[in-house]
Amino acid sequence: MAHTRLRPPTMADVARQAGVSHQTVSRVLGDHPNVRDATRARVLRAIEEMGYRRNFSARALATRRTRTLGVVASDTTLYGPASTLFALEEAARAKGYLVSTVSLRKLTMESLSEALDHLSEGGVEGVVAIAPQRSAVDALAELRHPFPVVIVGGGPGVDITCVGVDQHLGARLATGHLLAAGHRTVWHLAGPEDWQEAADRAAGWRDTLEAAGVEPPMLLRGDWSPLSGYRAGQELAGWVGRGLTAVFVANDQMALGVLRALREAGVRTPQDVAVVGFDDIPEAEFFAPPLTTVRQDFSAVGKRGIALLLDLIEGRPPATAPRVEIEPQLVVRASTFPYAAQPDGTPL
Amino acid sequence: MAHTRLRPPTMADVARQAGVSHQTVSRVLGDHPNVRDATRARVLRAIEEMGYRRNFSARALATRRTRTLGVVASDTTLYGPASTLFALEEAARAKGYLVSTVSLRKLTMESLSEALDHLSEGGVEGVVAIAPQRSAVDALAELRHPFPVVIVGGGPGVDITCVGVDQHLGARLATGHLLAAGHRTVWHLAGPEDWQEAADRAAGWRDTLEAAGVEPPMLLRGDWSPLSGYRAGQELAGWVGRGLTAVFVANDQMALGVLRALREAGVRTPQDVAVVGFDDIPEAEFFAPPLTTVRQDFSAVGKRGIALLLDLIEGRPPATAPRVEIEPQLVVRASTFPYAAQPDGTPL
DNA sequence: CCGCGAATTGTTAGCGCTCACAATGACCTC
DNA sequence: GAGGTCATTGTGAGCGCTAACAATTCGCGG
């Protein structure tokens, strides 16, 4: 007969019902060998009947493992961080870990410290920080924490394990693509100075030009937003006819703003000015014109990040170098090549 | 003298160091009154010196509370779900709860069931499901789980507490805006049939037209993607000059595709056809032309969702109705009104 | 200077699980 | 049939904390 049970059943309850000891129940749940099939079946039936679920806290206390990882991130509504977050969670879950997230509005020393405390109180065994700003990386390096930390998207220099896409290579692909198409030089609209990825992309752009014997033109800066791209685009429009025929924009959102400003200034893309972005956000294919851009493999970043963190947690020597770089990929569309395919596959 | 300590210090270690009982340490940490200031100071100093941190699992086991909530979501790289996720985490953290996320690629019965199991194994006290598809809501209603569940963005009908933006009202705002601007009728590009929000927006559109004594024209369907909007836009372009002067598109991404298709067909926006979107993604302001759209207050959704879940967890009678609706807001831009302000504030 | 209530501190038992080890039984070999 | 081995199951001791209760101390009126 079913009576209301105030407390959820414990392992001992199940054991009693199945006529075994609690340890045998534990063995069944832990997939230990050396449990007779008949016994296992009896236990499983009791578990099923009573709707038993192993108590997380008791288990964690006894094993000293919570199997929970923390992630600290900011700007999680942007495509890049959101994709990274998704990839990290998926990779962690595949390894049997739970992920607790803290999304910050700003990665300051203070907010980071609070976030790590919060996660620490939550018993995480390690943390992945999506920290693209140098200042955030520095803060992280200073902060004391009782668990290993892996940084995604951050820069080198500090003594923390990092994973990220090879931004320098991405920028070389973008800039090289434009040079190969016959442009004499390539302008660059960079991201905020403090961002490691912005710096790496700018460096890749500069190095490619210099390797080709071209003096890099003036560098413009935006803040990743379409609005800042729009403003930079207005400025860029003023240089058309004075040597500007190609622009490498440090992300797709700013490229959107640039495209709009150019269009409003009567500048045609790609006939007058070719534009390349970075990220390959889903909308990029539908910009006017569809945007040539650099695609990052976030899923790979997530997998490597989690793998690295688990190595650290389990005290294994990290399987790879402390700095892991994932290769990006150039996606060519009509913003640099007028005959590139339409979104639905038909030529323009 | 400092020697390497293999195990992190326990409360008993701190107590010994401070010359008190572990219980007094617990009192200090728990902010209990009735601890003499001198004692408190001594304990705090010991904690500081030893770098003590309270063990999460032991605490959770003793209190039977993990103070952890779960969130199940899908499509977390899209603006809407990502914003909701962010808002939920922020609201939960403000209440002292940790959030564990599971991001699914598809919300099927099977994946949902696995997600709830995974969270359950992780000891969550309750779950918020971002489940915009009806099928997902139905699956959730069928699934047994040992904790309360609140649905965000889902529909009514089932016996689960829901929070969401009032989509019907949003659609009325959008459609009414177009009618007020003098359009004789408004076409609609809806989202996938299975999505509650798509259905509500379509219903709001239809109701507004009928209230105005207008027979709703043929309804088009997309899948939220820019590509599907592009295809629908090509079809819509064929109706220009045959009564089509205004379109309400069920989200901004599809609206982007529609705008592009119209432009390619030589149709001007807003002079020939006015377009309204839904969501107000950050890029919407930079579409060509800037998009009139409906803004949703995700932060409010997050707060109400968490509040509701905590009510359920703590056995309080829910402070509000089982179905909470947040009011959306119309944002007018140039896609419906040629004199709307430019992104940077200057008139066109 | 005793006694009483309030403030402060200590003691004892779990919370529900896993681990290490002990115990049981089945089966086999010589 | 004694002794040994292996597979299977049970027992006891924590894991590190909080909650309930017991004990101690302090201040102060009588």
Side-chain angles (χ1 to χ4, degrees), chain A residues 259-284:
Chain A
L259 289 176
R260 172 147 183 246
L262 292 179
R263 186 171 50 246
E264 286 179 8
V267 177
R268 293 167 308 162
T269 306
Q271 295 87 342
D272 302 328
V273 172
V275 176
V276 177
F278 209 110
D279 274 355
D280 195 24
I281 63 176
E283 289 87 352

Side-chain angles (χ1 to χ4, degrees), chain A residues 123-202:
Chain A
V124 300
E125 295 183 26
V127 164
V128 177
I130 305 179
Q133 297 100 322
R134 288 210 196 92
S135 59
V137 175
D138 293 342
L140 238 20
E142 267 189 58
L143 255 20
R144 282 288 136 257
H145 29 255
F147 39 62
V149 171
V150 167
I151 291 183
V152 167
V158 291
D159 187 26
I160 304 189
T161 315
C162 289
V163 187
V165 171
D166 190 337
Q167 308 292 337
H168 194 277
L169 172 57
R172 293 203 308 275
L173 289 174
T175 313
H177 167 67
L178 290 168
L179 290 180
H183 296 277
R184 310 291 285 271
T185 189
V186 176
W187 290 56
H188 181 47
L189 169 54
E193 215 154 349
D194 185 39
W195 285 57
Q196 185 62 42
E197 297 177 352
D200 291 346
R201 288 172 199 172

Side-chain angles (χ1 to χ4, degrees), chain A residues 56-195:
Chain A
F56 169 77
S57 309
R59 190 166 141 73
L61 178 58
T63 58
R64 301 150 173 275
R65 305 279 322 250
T66 56
R67 295 192 78 81
T68 300
L69 304 180
V71 176
V72 182
S74 72
D75 300 312
T76 48
T77 57
L78 295 185
Y79 181 70
S83 301
T84 308
L85 205 52
F86 175 76
L88 285 170
E89 192 279 321
E90 195 171 45
R93 183 151 38 90
K95 296 281 186 185
Y97 280 77
L98 214 64
V99 172
S100 286
T101 312
V102 174
S103 304
L104 268 10
R105 288 179 185 273
K106 282 274 176 196
L107 290 185
T108 65
M109 185 71 142
E110 199 185 340
S111 69
L112 269 173
S113 168
E114 276 172 21
L116 291 183
D117 276 355
H118 190 234
L119 289 172
S120 173
E121 297 276 311
V124 300
E125 295 183 26
V127 164
V128 177
I130 305 179
Q133 297 100 322
R134 288 210 196 92
S135 59
V137 175
D138 293 342
L140 238 20
E142 267 189 58
L143 255 20
R144 282 288 136 257
H145 29 255
F147 39 62
V149 171
V150 167
I151 291 183
V152 167
V158 291
D159 187 26
I160 304 189
T161 315
C162 289
V163 187
V165 171
D166 190 337
Q167 308 292 337
H168 194 277
L169 172 57
R172 293 203 308 275
L173 289 174
T175 313
H177 167 67
L178 290 168
L179 290 180
H183 296 277
R184 310 291 285 271
T185 189
V186 176
W187 290 56
H188 181 47
L189 169 54
E193 215 154 349
D194 185 39
W195 285 57

Side-chain angles (χ1 to χ4, degrees), chain B residues 69-126:
Chain B
L69 305 179
V71 176
V72 182
S74 72
D75 300 311
T76 48
T77 58
L78 295 186
Y79 181 71
S83 301
T84 308
L85 205 51
F86 175 77
L88 285 170
E89 191 279 322
E90 196 171 44
R93 183 151 37 88
K95 296 281 185 186
Y97 280 77
L98 215 63
V99 172
S100 286
T101 312
V102 174
S103 304
L104 267 11
R105 286 177 188 274
K106 281 272 175 198
L107 290 184
T108 65
M109 184 71 141
E110 199 184 341
S111 69
L112 269 173
S113 167
E114 276 172 21
L116 291 183
D117 276 356
H118 191 233
L119 289 172
S120 171
E121 296 275 312
V124 299
E125 295 183 26

Side-chain angles (χ1 to χ4, degrees), chain A residues 11 22-23 26 52 54:
Chain A
M11 198 170 260
H22 63 134
Q23 177 58 9
S26 177
Y52 169 74
R54 194 154 46 169

